[in-house]
Amino acid sequence: MQAVVALAGEVHDSPLVRSALNGAGLIVAADSGANRLRQLGILPHVVIGDLDSLAGEDLFHLKSVGVEFEPHPDPEQRTDGDVAIEYALRRGATSIIIVGLFGGPRYDHAVANLYLLTHPSLRQTPTWTVDGWTAFTVLNGDGVSQAQFQGQIGDYVTITAVSETVEGITTVGLKWPLSNATFTRGLNEGTSNELINDQAMIQITGGTAFASHHFRSEHLP
């Protein structure tokens, strides 16, 4: 089952975002992530968190239409997003898409949310974040170690080292191919590669990396 987790960051409405929401068997809102979904005309199946960011009117509306609520078990130590992801996994999610990862005035939240993708419980679960026309995922040498991309020739694909080194980087279908390459954190060696076909692949054998796909043509294949 594909699950969507909605965080409180801005969500730019696009066919890419709509496709993620339409394909979800479970939609979990982390606190005011419910408001972001409401702006898109979408209701979550469940809202989880300490509910410190939802106004009384919003809470009333969600409860009146039967949305389920789950309390935050440890608001002083863990973020709403962290708890929402673990909830989705408990409900049987086999893949997760996060929306609302970025945006807003709190850079500390943006960085913390980005690193939610490296959550230990997600190492074996394909997890992406999408917004506008960009899809972003994490690869682990001892977990989900491969990402597939489908788009248009010229779309940007970037791989960025998260761990000190990322080993065994191999690509298929990219303008500047890699074969068993090693990247070092901070050097940004894999920025803005490009699709040369409508499909591409990145695989690693060791370490942790972020991989992103930016749809330059702004339409789905």
Side-chain angles (χ1 to χ4, degrees):
M1 177 185 66
Q2 178 176 296
V4 167
V5 172
L7 305 184
E10 187 174 2
V11 180
H12 297 91
D13 195 358
S14 70
L16 181 63
V17 172
R18 292 284 179 178
S19 176
L21 291 166
N22 292 339
L26 174 69
I27 301 176
V28 182
D31 208 327
S32 60
N35 289 336
R36 296 299 189 183
L37 292 174
R38 190 176 181 183
Q39 292 169 0
L40 300 175
I42 302 291
L43 284 173
H45 297 108
V46 61
V47 177
I48 192 165
D50 52 19
L51 306 183
D52 61 346
S53 301
L54 280 173
E57 181 180 339
D58 296 321
L59 279 173
F60 176 80
H61 171 72
L62 291 167
K63 290 180 178 179
S64 70
V65 294
V67 172
E68 181 182 349
F69 284 80
E70 286 283 330
H72 194 308
D74 190 10
E76 292 186 3
Q77 299 296 325
R78 303 169 65 198
T79 66
D80 294 332
D82 182 16
V83 175
I85 285 172
E86 290 199 347
Y87 177 87
L89 291 170
R90 289 200 309 272
R91 288 283 298 268
T94 55
S95 64
I96 293 177
I97 296 178
I98 302 173
V99 297
L101 191 77
F102 301 113
R106 294 286 301 271
Y107 282 10
D108 56 339
H109 281 188
V111 173
N113 288 345
L114 175 62
Y115 277 85
L116 276 177
L117 296 176
T118 67
H119 196 295
S121 63
L122 293 175
R123 298 187 79 83
Q124 304 294 332
T125 304
T127 303
W128 292 77
T129 181
V130 298
D131 186 41
W133 285 100
T134 299
F136 197 95
T137 191
V138 65
L139 300 176
N140 293 288
D142 61 349
V144 178
S145 60
Q146 185 181 112
Q148 305 282 341
F149 306 90
Q150 185 172 0
Q152 303 291 329
I153 293 172
D155 285 359
Y156 290 131
V157 172
T158 292
I159 181 168
T160 304
V162 176
S163 55
E164 184 173 353
T165 59
V166 179
E167 297 86 28
I169 305 168
T170 299
T171 66
V172 175
L174 296 182
K175 185 175 182 179
W176 294 283
L178 298 167
S179 179
N180 201 33
T182 298
F183 282 0
T184 301
R185 185 174 57 212
L187 296 185
N188 295 330
E189 300 155 290
T191 302
S192 298
N193 212 327
E194 297 180 17
L195 291 183
I196 57 173
N197 298 300
D198 59 1
Q199 296 186 41
M201 180 275 293
I202 293 176
Q203 181 173 306
I204 69 173
T205 60
T208 301
F210 290 136
S212 66
H213 177 193
H214 178 68
F215 293 74
R216 293 175 68 184
S217 58
E218 295 196 351
H219 65 82
L220 297 179

